[in-house]
Amino acid sequence: MRTRYPHDAYCPKPEHHFTFGLWTVGNPGRDPFGDAVRPTISAIQIVNKLAELGAYGVCLHDNDLVPMDATAAQTERILREFTGALRETGLKVPMATTNLFYDPVFKEGAFTSNDARVRAFALQKTMKSIDLAVELGAETFVLWGGREGVETNAAKKPQDAIKRFREAVNFLCEYARDNHYAVKFALEAKPNEPRGDLFLPTTGHMLAFIYTLDHPEMVGLNPEVAHEQMSGLDFSHAVGQALEAGKLFHIDLNGQKPGRYDQDLRFASEDQKGAFFLVKLLEDAKWSGMRHFDSHPYRTEDEQGAWDFAFYSMRSYLILKEKVAQFYADAEIQDLLEEQMRLAETSVGKLGCTFQYSNRLATAIKTHPFALERLRTQGFNYERLDQCTTEILMGIR
Ligand SMILES: [Mn+2]
């Protein structure tokens, strides 16, 4: 590693809280048009290598680690070896999730399936997966409903799907409470793929849904860059709203070109400006959560390419973090931001900038003589502010 990667200020360390799913670096490169191009890397190898590269933790689906058909003895051996590797390397498992999309049993949905037996099996599988997550020390349990959708609305009322999904999440919250698990749930939205359309397709839909649950305090969000961009939305706005609501429990970082299938590209390999504003948002908020990468190495890569992908994902985050510091240290940007601050502080007549209804204030606002012509003709200097930001990203400032 020392010889291949630069040993500079952008070297990832555990304190940066970078995590990877076993399914990311371990992704063998299978796609709908072609088979695996890389051999399977064992979970132990992944733990050792991620620790060497400077990651903080590793995340997993239940079946990334323990095959669905494993016997009790096999499960015990797998867990003993895995926790041994975690102990040796100091790597943590901050998040775990369950795979409710791969097995053909889930082809018509898991929690939202029209078949009650499938819904019950999905609960069984998830409860076992939560047990495993808690055993490995995970405090966040992600729910991504990969098959919770339809190809035809003739088959299912969306209201029924939402009701079933709510019942399932309520049930799992009660299960966690009943077992005194400290785990919290993070819901991940995606508009489509693998289903034609998925229910609760954006972070905003998920956020509204959370407040209809029995225990909304136990449930938050896991927004993913690519998933929100597939909807054509600004990812930072989704994350900002989640942060503002105190619901950003986890985040999935990756890269995506607009208008494509879910590409799961290396973080900041696309849309560097969007990635910059995302890093700025998280760092400004001093968000204490995990910087989790849910993405895949290019299919062109061998195993070394997969490690490059992991290292560069973390490195790009740290480079953008430094660009954020540069943004705030830039004198011209400071002046422009202070100009905006002054606008926000401007009082309306004798009225301050704070807002709380009173009869007196309502009358004062209603009768205030606004200098509309000045407001109509003023400029905001955003072209200059954006150019300064762009030049920082282009590396000439
Ligand atoms: Mn994801």
Side-chain angles (χ1 to χ4, degrees):
M1 177 197 146
R2 293 285 178 269
T3 52
R4 188 174 182 100
Y5 301 122
H7 200 62
D8 54 17
Y10 315 112
C11 214
K13 297 187 184 75
E15 73 209 43
H16 296 128
H17 284 174
F18 291 126
T19 60
F20 289 85
L22 281 180
W23 69 92
T24 63
V25 277
N27 188 283
R30 206 174 275 116
D31 73 15
F33 302 96
D35 212 342
V37 292
R38 288 181 291 271
T40 308
I41 314 174
S42 78
I44 308 295
Q45 277 174 285
I46 292 175
V47 166
N48 289 334
K49 192 70 187 178
L50 283 179
E52 187 192 323
L53 294 177
Y56 173 81
V58 66
C59 304
L60 49 109
H61 295 98
D62 40 3
N63 306 132
D64 296 342
L65 188 64
V66 185
M68 255 178 97
D69 55 0
T71 63
Q74 285 166 333
T75 303
E76 202 251 292
R77 183 184 55 79
I78 291 168
L79 285 179
R80 191 166 17 112
E81 287 175 8
F82 187 68
T83 50
L86 292 174
R87 252 195 322 276
E88 266 170 44
T89 56
L91 224 63
K92 304 278 188 288
V93 180
M95 178 274 269
T97 179
T98 183
N99 185 325
L100 298 178
F101 46 88
Y102 193 83
D103 194 285
V105 74
F106 299 122
K107 62 188 164 188
E108 206 281 304
F111 297 147
T112 61
S113 172
N114 275 348
D115 190 324
R117 294 166 298 182
V118 174
R119 298 204 298 273
F121 175 67
L123 283 175
Q124 180 196 76
K125 190 171 190 297
T126 309
M127 286 189 285
K128 287 181 180 176
S129 182
I130 294 172
D131 295 344
L132 173 68
V134 170
E135 192 180 335
L136 294 172
E139 291 175 346
T140 307
F141 194 85
V142 164
L143 291 171
W144 173 58
R147 299 285 170 192
E148 312 294 12
V150 288
E151 285 69 43
T152 169
N153 285 337
K156 199 177 294 183
K157 285 185 188 153
Q159 299 98 307
D160 289 342
I162 302 292
K163 284 186 172 72
R164 289 171 190 163
F165 196 70
R166 180 184 300 119
E167 289 301 301
V169 178
N170 281 339
F171 186 93
L172 294 170
C173 284
E174 292 299 350
Y175 177 73
R177 286 161 60 87
D178 199 18
N179 286 280
H180 307 287
Y181 289 161
V183 75
K184 285 191 169 193
F185 296 91
L187 307 181
E188 180 173 336
K190 187 176 179 183
N192 59 276
E193 198 192 328
R195 298 303 298 270
D197 286 285
L198 292 171
F199 299 117
L200 300 165
T202 69
T203 299
H205 286 83
M206 284 292 193
L207 185 59
F209 169 78
I210 286 171
Y211 295 106
T212 71
L213 295 168
D214 289 345
H215 293 288
E217 74 284 357
M218 294 178 70
V219 185
L221 297 159
N222 177 42
E224 173 169 325
V225 176
H227 294 180
E228 215 69 15
Q229 286 188 354
M230 285 172 74
S231 302
L233 299 173
D234 185 301
F235 185 63
S236 285
H237 292 190
V239 175
Q241 192 171 356
L243 272 170
E244 204 275 335
K247 287 297 184 192
L248 189 68
F249 285 11
H250 200 258
I251 195 164
D252 277 357
L253 303 172
N254 58 16
Q256 172 79 16
K257 292 190 189 206
R260 309 284 173 94
Y261 65 96
D262 183 11
Q263 293 178 296
D264 275 341
L265 298 167
R266 190 180 76 257
F267 176 64
S269 63
E270 297 294 331
D271 185 20
Q272 286 84 15
K273 198 170 172 185
F276 166 80
F277 284 124
L278 174 62
V279 171
K280 181 173 175 297
L281 185 72
L282 296 175
E283 297 300 323
D284 282 352
K286 300 191 179 3
W287 185 65
S288 60
M290 296 297 129
R291 274 65 173 167
H292 177 250
F293 298 100
D294 185 2
S295 40
H296 301 149
Y298 296 148
R299 194 164 180 270
T300 49
E301 301 309 287
D302 60 7
E303 185 183 323
Q304 182 56 55
W307 302 125
D308 289 350
F309 148 87
F311 185 82
Y312 297 144
S313 296
M314 299 186 279
R315 180 173 170 79
S316 290
Y317 187 100
L318 294 174
I319 292 170
L320 289 170
K321 189 175 164 180
E322 190 185 274
K323 296 280 180 194
V324 173
Q326 227 182 310
F327 174 92
Y328 284 117
D330 189 290
E332 193 175 352
I333 289 178
Q334 271 322 300
D335 284 350
L336 290 164
L337 291 178
E338 275 164 28
E339 211 171 90
Q340 295 303 312
M341 292 292 283
R342 280 196 296 277
L343 286 180
E345 296 298 326
T346 307
S347 63
V348 178
K350 289 195 180 97
L351 316 173
C353 60
T354 53
F355 258 76
Q356 200 167 19
Y357 182 82
S358 74
N359 185 273
R360 201 184 64 81
L361 182 59
T363 308
I365 291 176
K366 276 175 87 176
T367 55
H368 184 77
F370 288 93
L372 289 183
E373 212 36 44
R374 249 180 76 199
L375 297 180
R376 286 183 185 124
T377 53
Q378 70 178 333
F380 281 83
N381 270 327
Y382 288 176
E383 287 287 2
R384 220 173 112 206
L385 179 57
D386 186 75
Q387 181 66 16
C388 291
T389 312
T390 304
E391 288 186 11
I392 284 178
L393 290 175
M394 287 172 158
I396 62 149
R397 235 177 140 83

